[in-house]
Amino acid sequence: MKLAVMAPTSTASYFSAVFVFLVAFNFLSFQVMTASGHAANDSDYLEFMLNLEYLDGEFYSYGVFGNDLDSISPNLSQGGPRPIGGQKANLDPFVTEIIKEFAYEQVGHIRAITQATGGFPRPLINLSSALFSLVVDLALGYPLLPRFDPYANTVNYLIAAQALNYDGLVGYVYINANLNADAANRLGASLLGVKAGQNAVVRALLYERANQTVAPYNFTVAYIVSRIAELGNKVTRGGLEEGIIVPITLGAENRTVTNVLAADTNSLSYTRTPREILRILYGTGNEYVPGGFFPAKANGQLASTLVI
């Protein structure tokens, strides 16, 4: 089946319409935050991770159980609002078991960070199909018809999971380099180890399907993963993300086009700062303007003060 698209009258008019949609879709007014001069400490960095653990965890929990993380571990959210728009995904049995494991792992991560720092209530999280569809439209540069639905099937869900999980991975690389106390280093390294493993599994599953057509459109899995990566690079204005297939000049030692693990010329992980992470997860390109996956902003001292 060929790709059905809505042809915008112009690129400018389309993206103007998208911006209006994004503002309306956030449900809450944008709030501009300013730095307070607070110097970031280990607790601040670990709490910033908590936002990403909630985000990934809720996506996995809804994907396999059709419910939030409190259904697995009561009061895990510390009274925070339930996510917007999460749904049970139509996953194949093999991937269902993997995502179920991921959801349980996120519960442990949230518990560990909360025990170490005191944590905070779950921020408002937007997991709606409409938001993921908007991200894909922006990545492609035109709106898809029918709209992209991350919960429709295994392939769509893995594409969405990669977009979320990768930000946690590269954010944790940066944070781990800035932790000082031994206990914080141990916790940060342990979180990074599992986050990197989750991302590797998702990317490997996508690579296995790299040349598969994303139904009902006429582009492949590899193509859309690359376009979403390019969008992330533009929005963050820093850090780097790559698709699952790259030109051989970007492959490991310039000898392979396989890119299951995105890495630099020395095969070391890329990194993104908390500012860069917020730019992409807010979807606004501005770390001071919440929206997207965190329509009421991320929680914690670091997200509120943005001192780095």
Side-chain angles (χ1 to χ4, degrees):
M1 184 178 294
K2 294 297 183 181
L3 172 65
V5 301
M6 180 190 304
T9 56
S10 71
T11 300
S13 63
Y14 168 62
F15 283 103
S16 294
V18 166
F19 179 78
V20 171
F21 174 79
L22 180 59
V23 172
F25 192 74
N26 288 328
F27 300 106
L28 298 173
S29 298
F30 287 159
Q31 301 174 9
V32 176
M33 297 165 286
T34 58
S36 67
H38 170 81
N41 57 39
D42 286 353
S43 182
D44 296 334
Y45 281 118
L46 291 172
E47 281 195 337
F48 186 82
M49 289 177 157
L50 188 55
N51 289 292
L52 306 180
E53 295 295 339
Y54 274 129
L55 176 60
D56 286 356
E58 295 296 356
F59 185 60
Y60 300 146
S61 182
Y62 272 99
V64 291
F65 302 118
N67 211 335
D68 66 6
L69 289 172
D70 281 341
S71 67
I72 302 174
S73 180
N75 303 315
L76 190 72
S77 66
Q78 297 191 45
R82 295 193 71 191
I84 298 168
Q87 300 177 43
K88 191 175 188 300
N90 183 26
L91 303 176
D92 66 53
F94 181 76
V95 172
T96 293
E97 294 306 310
I98 292 173
I99 301 302
K100 186 183 298 183
E101 177 184 338
F102 286 4
Y104 290 140
E105 289 168 351
Q106 298 303 116
V107 170
H109 293 178
I110 293 168
R111 182 172 60 242
I113 296 173
T114 299
Q115 290 173 346
T117 67
F120 48 66
R122 174 179 57 202
L124 180 62
I125 295 171
N126 187 346
L127 295 174
S128 65
S129 176
L131 178 57
F132 283 102
S133 174
L134 177 59
V135 170
V136 171
D137 286 354
L138 289 170
L140 292 171
Y142 54 81
L144 290 177
L145 286 179
R147 308 305 301 274
F148 179 85
D149 180 0
Y151 304 106
N153 54 60
T154 296
V155 169
N156 287 15
Y157 188 85
L158 290 172
I159 290 168
Q162 150 61 19
L164 293 183
N165 185 273
Y166 181 82
D167 288 306
L169 167 60
V170 292
Y172 287 14
V173 174
Y174 177 90
I175 287 173
N176 272 268
N178 286 277
L179 296 174
N180 294 303
D182 288 346
N185 272 306
R186 286 194 295 272
L187 177 55
S190 298
L191 291 165
L192 173 59
V194 176
K195 187 64 68 179
Q198 290 176 346
N199 189 248
V201 169
V202 171
R203 289 179 70 91
L205 290 169
L206 287 169
Y207 181 76
E208 182 182 26
R209 298 162 170 80
N211 295 317
Q212 179 178 324
T213 299
V214 180
Y217 316 113
N218 66 355
F219 53 76
T220 65
V221 169
Y223 178 77
I224 189 58
V225 172
S226 294
R227 293 302 298 267
I228 293 173
E230 292 168 9
L231 175 66
N233 295 334
K234 292 175 183 176
V235 171
T236 58
R237 307 190 307 276
L240 188 63
E241 185 172 353
E242 296 173 336
I244 50 177
I245 295 177
V246 294
I248 197 164
T249 53
L250 295 178
E253 297 303 302
N254 307 135
R255 297 185 180 187
T256 179
V257 299
T258 300
N259 200 44
V260 173
L261 302 179
D264 67 14
T265 55
N266 290 316
S267 292
L268 302 178
S269 180
Y270 294 116
T271 182
R272 279 182 176 150
T273 68
R275 285 182 182 274
E276 293 163 353
I277 297 297
L278 291 179
R279 288 171 190 163
I280 189 169
L281 293 180
Y282 285 173
T284 62
N286 187 333
E287 62 269 33
Y288 297 102
V289 181
F293 296 104
F294 291 107
K297 84 177 180 60
N299 282 350
Q301 184 72 29
L302 199 60
S304 296
T305 59
L306 295 169
V307 295
I308 56 172

